[in-house]
Amino acid sequence: MDNILKDVLSKVDLTNTLKSVTDKGLEKVAASAVGATVLDLGTLFGLFVVLELVDIFTRMVACSAQLYRKTYDAKIVKRRGSLLTYIRGIPAAHHWRVIDSYQLRDGFFSKTIAYFLIIFVGFISDQILSVKHIPQFFLLIFCGVLSCTEVLSIMENLDEAGIKIASELKALVNKRKEGIK
């Protein structure tokens, strides 16, 4: 058991995970503040967990799309590549090692540990604020920021797969972001 824990912790890349969380931080905090006013903590945390699972799935779809583009002629790819085609290709992408289970697992563990630390800091901060009878908001904001990070990751994965709606959503988010500035 000790060896397994050492193996997992040796592969944890907290620096890159924390960097991705803090990237576009102001926009994520603003979006999470809006989400925190609409959703309670349990719902926001549940949304975050679902988004994490969808992020893993869209990563597999992007890898399947990569295999599809390598396998077929460019004319066929433009005409027949769709989300359903890529989803059906996930087992083949796994078989041909385009989807690396070990890399996904290690990335998942790394993100989970980093996200746990962020949520734990939010929890401790809220406990300190509750002693002073100050409204607690850190945990809500932190869960919202992590949810926004996952939404952006999902859009990037789908955009990488070549899904048209993802690039349109990404452009819409960037347009809204420019409007906020």
Side-chain angles (χ1 to χ4, degrees):
M1 182 69 174
D2 191 40
N3 290 336
I4 295 171
L5 184 62
K6 286 180 183 177
D7 183 45
V8 168
L9 290 177
S10 70
K11 296 177 183 175
V12 172
D13 187 10
L14 290 177
T15 307
N16 285 335
T17 305
L18 292 175
K19 184 180 176 190
S20 72
V21 169
T22 57
D23 186 36
K24 301 175 187 168
L26 186 60
E27 293 89 358
K28 289 178 184 178
V29 169
S32 65
V34 170
T37 59
V38 176
L39 304 171
D40 66 341
L41 180 60
T43 307
L44 194 58
F45 188 74
L47 175 68
F48 164 64
V49 170
V50 168
L51 287 172
E52 178 64 32
L53 295 174
V54 171
D55 180 40
I56 293 169
F57 179 73
T58 57
R59 182 74 237 143
M60 291 190 297
V61 168
C63 291
S64 175
Q66 179 185 8
L67 177 65
Y68 184 82
R69 285 192 291 271
K70 286 180 181 178
T71 305
Y72 295 105
D73 186 17
K75 293 177 185 176
I76 294 174
V77 171
K78 283 189 175 201
R79 191 180 57 177
R80 298 186 69 192
S82 69
L83 179 60
L84 187 57
T85 304
Y86 301 147
I87 291 172
R88 286 187 199 149
I90 289 175
H94 188 269
H95 174 74
W96 292 105
R97 299 280 185 214
V98 177
I99 298 174
D100 186 3
S101 298
Y102 297 110
Q103 183 183 11
L104 282 175
R105 182 199 63 205
D106 294 342
F108 176 75
F109 283 142
S110 178
K111 281 172 58 173
T112 302
I113 290 170
Y115 288 179
F116 173 78
L117 290 175
I118 291 169
I119 289 171
F120 184 71
V121 167
F123 174 76
I124 295 298
S125 301
D126 281 350
Q127 293 305 310
I128 292 169
L129 290 176
S130 71
V131 169
K132 297 291 186 177
H133 304 293
I134 299 172
Q136 300 123 20
F137 59 88
F138 280 108
L139 196 53
L140 278 170
I141 297 296
F142 288 177
C143 281
V145 167
L146 295 176
S147 297
C148 291
T149 302
E150 292 306 312
V151 167
L152 289 174
S153 179
I154 290 167
M155 286 195 299
E156 289 169 358
N157 290 338
L158 291 175
D159 189 38
E160 181 183 331
I163 307 300
K164 186 178 177 184
I165 190 76
S167 58
E168 292 173 3
L169 284 173
K170 195 173 177 183
L172 179 66
V173 168
N174 287 335
K175 184 195 269 187
R176 294 282 183 181
K177 185 173 66 174
E178 293 300 321
I180 291 173
K181 290 180 181 179

